[in-house]
Amino acid sequence: MLKIGLSGGIGSGKSTVAAVFAELGALIVDSDKIAREVVEPGTPGLAQLVEAFGAEILAEDGTLDRPKLAAKVFGDDEARAQLNAITHPLVAARSQELVEAAPPEQVVVRDIPLLVELGLAPFFSLAVIVEAPPEERLRRLTEARGMSEEDALARIRSQASDDARRAAADIVLDNSGSPEDLRARVRELWAERIAPFHEHVLARTPPPAPEAYVLAEPDPTWQAQAARLIARVSVAAGGKAVRADHIGSTAVPGLAAKNVIDLQLTVASLQDADELVEPLAAIGFIPVPGVDHDNPHGAAASADQDMSRWRKRFCVSADPGRPANLHLRVDGWPNQRFALLFRDWLRAAPAVADEYLAVKQRAAARARETDNPADGDDQVKEPWFATAYPRAVRWAQETGWSPAPASSGP
């Protein structure tokens, strides 16, 4: 089951996106609809609201008079918090019931207006945000929904900012054009990203490896993309995560790299790593059989008794829109420490980063010559790492290096 979080500001067009997802076969779990259901007449939810805000919030027929309730809580942070404390747990519980009742082969889209405000994006394999300019949203709210301009502006301003939504989004759908333009983009997104992502998650198979060794120019958004993945991995790993970090070349600002984000999930033991295989696969990080160790460096390269401490588990993202590798390594083992040390060394020593870039460029050229992407790493990068490892260790000793706080925690 692939779980997608869908959100967007009021008037952004989120409902149109949800409708297209439904046409394409997704199960839509609509938080707004459920929020109405859990306060219908006779429900514990409505009884709690009456107790909190008084019987005057009821219409003559005993149903909830939403405008009257809105008048009581809008602009009053304490009252709104009280309302949320009553309704949010009820909505969450009912939503979870619907998700658990869905068949495992289903794509489930949770339509959550407050996805960003509630910090729920890491609980989904993808977060999709629908966006439209504020002036266009204002026009839709006043013309299509009949709101006053004052009310519409107040509601827009009470929600998360566009910047906050973009920071949480794996995918931003621009709805500044026509409804049909938006529908076409949703169908394209489904065909090119969501459907293949879902297929790989169901089959527990990794996507095909890239056919070419290509270095991409530095992308200033790599850090933010990694942060979203780290948050998702940390939620899936729960208490078994010691720390989670962005590592590798994409974690070094300004360094060209393959457009693949490398993450390291530190665990207390390989047993913990093995127990995380299924939870990580469920969110889209598929284990790769046979990739169970790193090439040892230093004393371990010639000491068989130390080789075991270079073991790991390895997963790749099934999301074709965001290639990523996840290395599960044991806390304190040399491969776990070296991943952090190497990243920090390159960040602190631009000359070394330049040297490493030249090595990667030679590796890419070698891969092109032999038409084998693996040759670049095996024949060029690994020999360089054998000499770089002791230099990095010396730098750590000279500077008193120790791992900085994790990029994110469980």
Side-chain angles (χ1 to χ4, degrees), residues 48-64:
Q48 291 178 56
L49 291 181
V50 170
E51 182 180 354
F53 300 105
E56 60 267 29
I57 66 171
L58 296 177
E60 291 184 1
D61 61 0
T63 60
L64 178 64

Side-chain angles (χ1 to χ4, degrees), residues 3 30 62 65 121 142 148 153 159 208 226 265 292 311-312 320 374:
K3 299 176 185 177
D30 187 335
D65 189 322
T142 55
S148 69
L153 283 172
Q159 295 184 325
L265 178 64
D292 58 4
R311 290 182 295 164
K312 68 175 181 180

Side-chain angles (χ1 to χ4, degrees), residues 162-185:
D162 288 343
D163 286 345
R165 289 196 188 92
R166 292 184 196 117
D170 299 289
I171 299 158
V172 176
L173 290 171
D174 178 12
N175 186 24
S176 57
S178 70
E180 191 47 51
D181 287 340
L182 178 62
R183 293 187 186 100
R185 280 192 289 274

Side-chain angles (χ1 to χ4, degrees), residues 289-351:
V291 182
D292 58 4
H293 68 280
D294 294 301
N295 290 332
H297 302 297
S302 58
D304 290 343
Q305 65 270 24
D306 292 330
M307 295 277 283
S308 62
R309 288 168 57 83
W310 289 79
R311 290 182 295 164
K312 68 175 181 180
R313 300 295 182 259
F314 179 69
C315 305
V316 298
S317 173
D319 176 8
R322 179 57 273 165
N325 298 327
L326 177 62
H327 308 257
L328 286 78
R329 296 181 174 117
V330 176
D331 192 22
W333 283 12
N335 54 352
Q336 184 264 349
R337 286 181 59 82
F338 183 61
L340 301 176
L341 167 58
F342 184 67
R343 177 201 66 190
D344 292 353
W345 184 38
L346 294 187
R347 287 175 174 176

Side-chain angles (χ1 to χ4, degrees), residues 383-405:
W384 182 82
F385 270 112
T387 61
Y389 181 81
R391 293 166 57 199
V393 171
R394 284 197 301 273
W395 175 83
Q397 294 169 341
E398 292 167 357
T399 61
W401 173 88
S402 61

